[in-house]
Amino acid sequence: DIVWDDLNKAKSATLEDISGNVYSFINKDIASIRLSNNSLLQGLTWDSSNKPKDFILTDAQNNQFRYVSGSVSTVTRPDGGVLSKITWNTVGKVTGGTYQDPQGNQFVFTNSTVTKITLTDKSVLTNLVWNSQGELSSALLTTPSNTKYNFVNKVITLITLPGGALIYSITWDTRNQ
């Protein structure tokens, strides 16, 4: 399909290759590419060597990968979760980032370990320690009012009130109450 302008120059065109990839052109630039696996590349900009520089890849499952300067900068999932602030090492391995789930909780990770969790009420979990089963074994929870709760093995062991007063030597019954 080719659309011509008033000067008989191609204004837009669609071209399908033998692999089933569909290229859409506007003027002389590729505007989008629908890949044979039903993924879509759009918002394409090109570097000086005519390689894609910035673009959005939407895969067949509707995950959106935003590339900036040739690297993935954000991933948006169909459920609304967003992976952002992605950092990479020199061999192209992800070394860090932030994931925000659809409810608004934020998880900061370094390598494969979650190091900070910010909940929707703005409470923050830090000093996270994970056991061998991948469960949280200890953490510090700081509320928006600056009350701090130290957790060890799912039990509060120390509470620091906003003025600095401490509640410690806490004894819990068998139901952790």
Side-chain angles (χ1 to χ4, degrees):
D1 298 328
I2 301 174
V3 176
W4 303 93
D5 68 11
D6 294 339
L7 302 172
N8 284 335
K9 292 185 179 181
K11 184 176 179 180
S12 65
T14 304
L15 169 71
E16 184 172 352
D17 67 18
I18 60 173
S19 298
N21 300 313
V22 178
Y23 301 82
S24 298
F25 294 84
I26 295 178
N27 299 318
K28 59 183 178 182
D29 297 320
I30 297 175
S32 66
I33 304 170
R34 171 74 61 188
L35 302 174
S36 59
N37 68 1
N38 209 32
S39 295
L40 177 66
L41 287 164
Q42 59 189 356
L44 293 154
T45 61
W46 307 87
D47 66 15
S48 59
S49 60
N50 287 326
K51 291 183 181 175
K53 178 181 167 191
D54 302 326
F55 56 92
I56 298 172
L57 169 65
T58 304
D59 69 13
Q61 293 75 35
N62 208 30
N63 294 295
Q64 289 189 339
F65 301 83
R66 179 176 299 276
Y67 286 75
V68 175
S69 299
S71 294
V72 177
S73 66
T74 59
V75 178
T76 303
R77 297 175 36 89
D79 66 6
V82 177
L83 177 61
S84 62
K85 300 178 185 171
I86 302 169
T87 57
W88 303 86
N89 67 13
T90 56
V91 294
K93 182 179 176 184
V94 173
T95 58
T98 300
Y99 177 72
Q100 182 169 318
D101 70 16
Q103 294 74 35
N105 300 300
Q106 290 188 352
F107 303 83
V108 176
F109 66 93
T110 301
N111 297 317
S112 60
T113 303
V114 175
T115 57
K116 179 180 175 183
I117 302 170
T118 303
L119 304 174
T120 56
D121 71 354
K122 304 299 181 212
S123 294
V124 179
L125 285 156
T126 56
N127 301 344
L128 305 174
V129 177
W130 303 90
N131 66 21
S132 60
Q133 290 80 35
E135 299 169 335
L136 188 59
S137 64
S138 66
L140 172 65
L141 173 70
T142 304
T143 68
S145 66
N146 204 31
T147 300
K148 297 180 182 194
Y149 299 88
N150 287 79
F151 289 87
V152 175
N153 296 322
K154 302 178 185 174
V155 176
I156 299 172
T157 58
L158 174 68
I159 302 170
T160 306
L161 300 174
L166 300 176
I167 301 173
Y168 56 93
S169 298
I170 302 169
T171 304
W172 302 95
D173 66 17
T174 56
R175 295 175 294 161
N176 289 328
Q177 296 182 347

